[in-house]
Amino acid sequence: MSTTPTGAPPEQDWARYWRDPERPLEAMRAHFTRHVFHRHSHDAYSFAITESGAQRFRCRGAEHTSSAGMVMAFNPDDPHDGRTAAELGFTYRIMHLHPSVVREVLTDAGGGTERGLPLFDRPVRHAPALYRALLGLHHALVAGAGTLVREERLSSVVTALVREAATTGPRIATARAGADAARRARTLLDDSWERDLGADELARAAGCSRYALYRAFRAAYGMPPSDYQRLLRLRAARRLLATGTPPAEAAASCGFADQPHLTRWFTRVYGITPATYRAAAG
């Protein structure tokens, strides 16, 4: 686990990061007073527990505040931002669980029968049982607890998630004008995220005007195409960094102008530097 110095005054930002070397499961504990998260999403479930202070964020078209004792629950690909809502900042723990991890636990609990994944209709909630389960798993991960303890606490978290989830099963997209065009543009971005795609090429693939595509894409995915492309590049850089690739090499491989360019955006989105993420270990 990579850490920043402890014992810092409460107004100073700090973060500690942990990454499971064997499965797509990550955890962070941090305190932020000045840091502002740029709007982004994760390809995993993200669950955070606020320990002290409060943070404010925008998700699904509304402003939300999570204060001490509350749980934030983001479905995969839920766009959100984040900033402090208290003078002295906020301290929180967050865990990223890839859907494959959740599905594995649910399938095992169902005796080998695959179940639908839980989804959350509210990104912030008062859920004491889920809070305790997440805190227990986070402690087990960062303390390097034994395999059995980690597996038991992961199962407890997934069980609590299912109980808290509003719906189970594949997300049903709300019908909206331009949804098909937005999906076609997203497919091109997913397949060619490393290329310097232009607005005209994207609009041709979508089958509509650039202006119509911009509106449709924001409506469907919560961010403009340029932000989505940058997010895909950041995710690719995370994958490389997790294998030990130096930040400069990751930046060059993932479409960033240089290492400082990657560092700026990585820090804005994830709250830590690429070097800190690369150094994290189980």
Side-chain angles (χ1 to χ4, degrees), residues 88-100:
L88 296 179
F90 63 95
T91 303
Y92 79 134
R93 299 173 187 257
I94 186 166
M95 279 164 284
H96 306 293
L97 284 69
H98 193 271
S100 62

Side-chain angles (χ1 to χ4, degrees), residues 64-175:
H64 305 273
T65 299
S66 177
S67 55
M70 302 191 77
V71 175
M72 290 175 286
F74 299 111
N75 298 312
D77 294 317
D78 258 349
H80 57 280
D81 52 22
R83 61 198 181 280
T84 186
E87 183 178 355
L88 296 179
F90 63 95
T91 303
Y92 79 134
R93 299 173 187 257
I94 186 166
M95 279 164 284
H96 306 293
L97 284 69
H98 193 271
S100 62
V101 174
V102 177
R103 182 178 291 109
E104 177 185 344
V105 175
L106 288 176
T107 300
D108 181 69
T113 301
E114 187 167 323
R115 300 172 57 182
L117 292 173
L119 294 174
F120 297 84
D121 62 340
R122 291 179 289 115
V124 64
R125 61 191 61 218
H126 179 66
L130 179 55
Y131 186 102
R132 290 192 297 271
L134 289 167
L135 183 61
L137 176 60
H138 198 287
H139 279 313
L141 295 177
V142 301
T147 301
L148 183 59
V149 172
R150 295 200 308 271
E151 295 293 339
E152 289 174 348
R153 294 191 181 180
L154 176 60
S155 295
S156 296
V157 163
V158 174
T159 299
L161 295 179
V162 172
R163 290 173 179 166
E164 280 292 325
T167 58
T168 301
R171 186 180 301 186
I172 302 174
T174 303

Side-chain angles (χ1 to χ4, degrees), residues 178 180-186 188-189 195 197-217 225:
D180 288 342
R183 282 195 292 271
R184 287 191 290 269
R186 179 172 176 169
L188 178 57
L189 288 166
R195 288 204 296 118
L197 293 169
D200 287 336
E201 182 179 358
L202 206 59
R204 284 195 300 271
C208 63
S209 70
R210 291 184 297 176
Y211 178 69
L213 173 60
Y214 182 84
R215 290 194 306 170
F217 202 96

